Amino acid sequence: MIFIVLWTAIIAFLATYLLKSPKVRSWLKVLIRAKFLRRVIICTTVIIAAIIIAYKVHPVPEIQSTDDHSVFMEYSAKAVHKIASTENLTLDSSCDLSRPKSELSYILPLILNTYADVVDKPTKPVLVRLDDTLQIELRGYKQFKNRGFKLKKLLQKKLGNRYKVAILSDESTTHTLQISYEGTPWNKEQLIALPVMEAAKENQVDPALLMSLIRHVSNFDFNFRGPKDTHGLLAMGGHKAQDHIIHANDPTEKKDPEIDGLNQIFEGAKRLGKQLQVLSLENTIATFYPEQGMNYTDAQWTKSPLIKSWVDQVMADIQFYHENGLKPLD
């Protein structure tokens, strides 16, 4: 805005100064009377007006930004429902899963496995609260002191000091395991790890490879904007699902018109699994190079220093993720 005001003032000053000159005024009169100049002015005005009208009638569609917090809360709620569907956990009717804390939702399988290891004949735990605090009722035990102490100690050891673990017991047969997270909120790389593991398991691909691709395509940014209107974690948004596979005519493939949010992880894992069946690891990685949009690479990609360097970086980080817990699937 300041730039516009400044140049407007400069142009106004120059115009005022030049119009004081008789020669400048005479030149202007000659130019105004020239038919060619009038035609140029009229045509320019019409063209500018047409562009403005076309833009107003057909505005460029804006891609809505993704709310990261909402994405992970929705995924956490679905993950809890999936665990409950396996009959290892009961959801209490009062349990509100509208705002689950991911740092607590993600550790639920570990909690249930630890409970089953500590208690000889475990009853089915009941999830009664999951927001900034996780509460699981362990019903059916009159005496739970020793088992509760062992459970608390083992969970505290596995979870670390960032989690506060407590067992709340009364004189009834209900005992409540309460856990809260007091550490630094997880970053997107940590939060994406669980859906990456899930997608990798479904499609039998290396989770470290999938994680490394996401890191080097978008750096875990849901709102990443790539070339040719691509966007998202793996720059797969803006194109149909069949555009991301080699065998696009396969009738078994989903034909989703839009791939957004965490869905890109699952579609990316599916594409990864199919391409690894017909391409080498390096060639498969090269097809995810974001600067190409949807133009898949051919055997000549090794001649491009940029693509080759990018593929090497992805390969290096696969080893990094292996060393930090994302192991290849058995």
Side-chain angles (χ1 to χ4, degrees), residues 15-274:
T16 303
Y17 177 79
L18 292 173
L19 287 174
K20 291 181 179 180
S21 170
K23 288 186 178 180
V24 172
R25 290 200 297 271
S26 63
W27 290 343
L28 286 175
K29 289 179 181 179
V30 173
L31 290 174
I32 291 172
R33 291 172 182 172
K35 293 182 179 180
F36 175 77
L37 182 61
R38 288 202 300 271
R39 291 172 182 171
V40 170
I41 293 173
I42 293 172
C43 291
T44 303
T45 304
V46 171
I47 292 172
I48 293 174
I51 293 173
I52 294 173
I53 292 171
Y55 181 80
K56 293 293 183 182
V57 174
H58 300 287
V60 177
E62 294 184 1
I63 301 173
Q64 294 183 351
S65 297
T66 301
D67 182 357
D68 301 349
H69 191 58
S70 298
V71 167
F72 289 114
M73 283 199 302
E74 182 180 352
Y75 177 78
S76 297
K78 289 180 179 179
V80 173
H81 280 291
K82 186 177 292 187
I83 294 172
S85 69
T86 63
E87 300 183 353
N88 292 325
L89 178 73
T90 298
L91 291 181
D92 190 82
S93 58
S94 64
C95 183
D96 182 9
L97 290 179
S98 61
R99 300 186 66 81
K101 193 176 184 70
S102 298
E103 290 85 345
L104 295 172
S105 304
Y106 283 22
I107 64 170
L108 198 51
L110 182 147
I111 295 172
L112 297 176
N113 290 335
T114 305
Y115 169 66
D117 291 340
V118 170
V119 181
D120 294 334
K121 295 181 180 180
T123 61
K124 186 183 295 186
V126 180
L127 183 64
V128 296
R129 179 180 175 185
L130 183 56
D131 39 46
D132 58 345
T133 301
L134 183 149
Q135 287 185 341
I136 297 177
E137 288 187 356
L138 310 173
R139 301 171 182 172
Y141 300 99
K142 292 182 179 180
Q143 298 294 329
F144 200 74
K145 185 175 182 180
N146 291 335
R147 285 169 292 191
F149 176 78
K150 291 180 181 179
L151 179 61
K152 176 183 175 181
K153 184 178 180 180
L154 188 54
L155 281 174
Q156 194 69 73
K157 180 180 179 181
K158 290 182 176 181
L159 296 174
N161 296 329
R162 295 175 298 173
Y163 289 87
K164 183 178 180 181
V165 183
I167 299 287
L168 310 176
S169 300
D170 53 28
E171 295 180 356
S172 67
T173 58
T174 298
H175 310 274
T176 302
L177 171 65
Q178 179 173 291
I179 301 178
S180 59
Y181 180 74
E182 299 179 345
T184 303
W186 288 0
N187 58 34
K188 282 188 286 187
E189 183 175 13
Q190 293 170 301
L191 292 169
I192 282 173
L194 185 59
V196 163
M197 289 293 293
E198 183 182 355
K201 184 177 181 180
E202 288 181 3
N203 295 277
Q204 293 300 304
V205 298
D206 185 354
L209 169 58
L210 184 56
M211 195 76 164
S212 184
L213 283 170
I214 296 172
R215 179 178 184 178
H216 287 283
V217 170
S218 67
N219 196 26
F220 310 104
D221 183 7
F222 286 98
N223 297 309
F224 170 76
R225 298 289 180 262
K228 301 183 180 179
D229 298 326
T230 56
H231 59 271
L233 292 174
L234 285 168
M236 297 177 72
H239 294 275
K240 295 181 180 180
Q242 60 265 34
D243 294 331
H244 295 276
I245 56 177
I246 293 178
H247 305 294
N249 296 323
D250 187 348
T252 64
E253 291 296 332
K254 291 171 62 179
K255 307 300 187 224
D256 294 336
E258 189 60 46
I259 309 173
D260 267 332
L262 292 175
N263 289 333
Q264 293 208 11
I265 296 177
F266 292 88
E267 289 295 337
K270 182 185 295 185
R271 168 181 152 188
L272 200 57
K274 286 185 174 294

